[in-house]
């Protein structure tokens, strides 16, 4: 059998600045606009990965579960439940990842379950919270369930590299505008992803009905 990973997403960006703006500020506009462009590309890719995973879970009900209500007193048990789901599918313990919304992250912080756990140099990386129940836990503010009957939150539990995502093309350049006294910082990214059948059991999504 065969399965295709389709690169079908294209995002293009433009930031602009003038010589006057550059000399009238205390920081490099070019550098900051390039940083904005890179952040925009990363946000588009992360959003696309979440959309791709949600489509996978919508089509693979066996890899989803529901948590009726999550609170400070239950969040540890709920995370352990996701750990158990992966373990029952014989997913290896190493490289397990948990991605949560800011609301769930707040419950984890209030529960204190990460207190005293190992926090390596990676703690400086944006979104990194710590480790618990074998998971490296990260926060993403792009997890936003939508729709009339959408749950309060999603939690994604998976093993690293359980899905495949490709940035086929990433380009950026600075050009002087032909029709004005300013510069364009241009960026482009082509990307796409897929969960292949042989990796399906390595991903689980929990729908949290209510956050207490």
């Amino acid at each position: 059998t065969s399965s295709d990973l389709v690169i079908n997403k294209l995002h293009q960006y433009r930031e602009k600045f003038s010589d006057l703006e550059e000399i009238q500020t205390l920081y490099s506009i070019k550098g900051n606009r390039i940083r904005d462009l890179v952040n925009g590309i990363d946000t588009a890719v992360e959003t696309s990965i979440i959309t791709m995973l949600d489509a996978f879970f919508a089509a693979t009900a066996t890899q989803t579960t529901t948590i009726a209500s999550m609170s400070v007193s239950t969040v540890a048990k709920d995370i352990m439940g996701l750990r158990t789901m992966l373990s029952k599918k014989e997913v290896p313990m190493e490289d397990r990842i948990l991605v949560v919304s800011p609301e769930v992250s707040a419950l984890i912080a209030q529960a204190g379950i990460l207190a005293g756990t190992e926090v390596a140099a990676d703690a400086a990386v944006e979104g990194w919270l710590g480790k618990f129940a074998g998971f490296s836990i990260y926060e993403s503010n792009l997890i936003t369930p939508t729709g009339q009957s959408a749950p309060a939150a999603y939690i994604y539990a998976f093993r690293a590299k359980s899905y495949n995502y490709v940035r086929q093309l990433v380009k950026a350049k600075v050009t002087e505008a032909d029709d004005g006294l300013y510069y364009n910082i241009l960026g482009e990214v082509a990307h796409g992803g897929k969960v292949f059948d042989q990796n399906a059991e390595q991903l689980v999504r929990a729908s949290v009905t209510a956050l207490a």
Side-chain angles (χ1 to χ4, degrees):
T1 60
S2 64
S3 185
D4 296 327
L5 192 163
V6 181
I7 309 300
N8 58 355
K9 308 270 190 314
L10 178 67
H11 287 85
Q12 296 174 314
Y13 303 86
R14 182 183 71 158
E15 295 276 352
K16 64 180 185 178
F17 68 95
S18 69
D19 286 327
L20 185 60
E21 288 178 297
E22 186 74 43
I23 65 173
Q24 286 184 334
T25 57
L26 298 177
Y27 62 88
S28 167
I29 284 186
K30 182 191 296 184
N32 279 271
R33 294 290 163 83
I34 290 176
R35 192 175 299 112
D36 289 344
L37 182 148
V38 171
N39 288 340
I41 288 176
D42 288 343
T43 298
V45 170
E46 184 176 343
T47 300
S48 186
I49 290 173
I50 292 170
T51 300
M52 179 266 296
L53 291 178
D54 285 340
F56 161 76
F57 289 119
T60 317
T62 56
Q63 296 305 114
T64 64
T65 187
T66 299
I67 299 171
S69 179
M70 178 179 285
S71 66
V72 171
S73 61
T74 67
V75 66
K77 175 180 68 67
D78 294 332
I79 293 174
M80 289 298 293
L82 296 175
R83 175 187 185 275
T84 301
M85 285 187 68
L86 291 178
S87 293
K88 283 186 174 181
K89 297 294 180 68
E90 299 185 356
V91 176
M93 286 293 298
E94 65 268 17
D95 299 325
R96 290 189 184 183
I97 295 171
L98 198 74
V99 182
V100 303
S101 66
E103 293 82 5
V104 175
S105 176
L107 294 180
I108 292 173
Q110 293 174 71
I113 60 177
L114 301 181
T117 60
E118 179 185 356
V119 180
D122 285 344
V125 177
E126 183 179 359
W128 163 257
L129 300 178
K131 296 196 71 169
F132 178 73
F135 290 109
S136 296
I137 305 176
Y138 294 86
E139 175 184 311
S140 171
N141 63 359
L142 299 178
I143 302 175
T144 53
T146 58
Q148 188 173 3
S149 58
Y154 285 142
I155 301 176
Y156 302 87
F158 54 90
R159 192 174 186 229
K161 300 181 181 179
S162 57
Y163 64 85
N164 291 76
Y165 210 87
V166 177
R167 298 190 192 197
Q168 191 176 50
L169 169 72
V170 182
K171 293 180 66 176
K173 64 180 180 179
V174 179
T175 62
E176 188 169 2
D178 294 330
D179 56 352
L181 298 175
Y182 63 89
Y183 299 90
N184 285 313
I185 296 177
L186 306 174
E188 184 175 65
V189 56
H191 53 113
K194 184 181 181 69
V195 177
F196 288 100
D197 292 343
Q198 64 266 30
N199 297 326
E201 292 186 342
Q202 298 186 29
L203 302 95
V204 172
R205 186 187 69 185
S207 299
V208 184
T209 305
L211 296 170

